[in-house]
Amino acid sequence: TAKWALEFGAGYRFRLRAQDHAGHYSAPVDGPIVKATLFQDGTASAKYAGRWSVVASSVASNGRLHRSTRGGAAVTFTKTARAIAVVGRQGPTNGRAKVYVDGVYRTTIDLFRRSSRSKVVVFNASWPTTGAHTVKVVVVGTAGHPGVEVDAFAILR
């Protein structure tokens, strides 16, 4: 595994080669060109259901985010991609959300944190090839700190 910080809008190609225990290398193999794109919380690709409010925030990626404290409120983001990430905010008033990928429950994320942190990738999923995929985030409504804040969605194509 490797982690790279990709600039949105730029195309990247990664070249890999294997090394055996004797130190011999394989011929390099080029992967596909991939491009990271950021979609703001208000994109037409995100459909909100239930009660959500738009909140101005100087630390959000576009100066605003969607917030809900109502259990069952959901946002569904659909895009053709090889990876999708949900960007949100963690903080003392935030709680849990269930995440579904392509209609199948994947995990419950916890957005609670004693001090606030913005522009956090709170969930991501990837696939071996590019295709149409949907990520749905459903607010649990955690007692005492029910908030879920969605800032943006990032994709890799």
Side-chain angles (χ1 to χ4, degrees), residues 19-137:
Q19 181 182 18
D20 65 19
H21 288 290
H24 302 105
Y25 287 94
S26 70
V29 176
D30 290 339
I33 294 175
V34 293
K35 182 178 178 183
T37 306
L38 186 68
F39 293 87
Q40 296 301 326
D41 60 308
T43 177
S45 299
K47 305 296 183 206
Y48 292 86
R51 292 180 77 180
W52 291 84
S53 56
V54 178
V55 179
S57 172
S58 62
V59 293
S61 64
N62 196 32
R64 68 176 206 169
L65 45 81
H66 273 74
R67 175 178 173 77
S68 182
T69 58
R70 302 289 180 148
V75 57
T76 303
F77 178 77
T78 303
K79 224 35 164 168
T80 298
R82 63 184 303 122
I84 296 177
V86 178
V87 180
R89 192 174 90 73
Q90 297 172 319
T93 62
N94 290 348
R96 295 180 299 138
K98 293 182 180 183
V99 181
Y100 298 81
V101 177
D102 296 332
V104 177
Y105 171 78
R106 180 71 69 88
T107 190
T108 298
I109 56 174
D110 192 348
L111 303 174
F112 177 80
R113 191 169 190 269
R114 293 204 186 283
S115 58
S116 296
R117 201 166 82 171
S118 298
K119 300 178 193 166
V120 178
V121 173
V122 296
F123 177 80
N124 67 76
S126 62
W127 302 270
T129 59
T130 300
H133 296 285
T134 299
V135 173
K136 182 178 183 179
V137 178

Side-chain angles (χ1 to χ4, degrees), residues 6-12 32-37 82-83 155-157:
L6 304 180
E7 184 178 317
F8 290 115
Y12 295 88
I33 294 175
V34 293
K35 182 178 178 183
T37 306
R82 63 184 303 122
I155 68 164
L156 199 60
R157 275 189 245 231

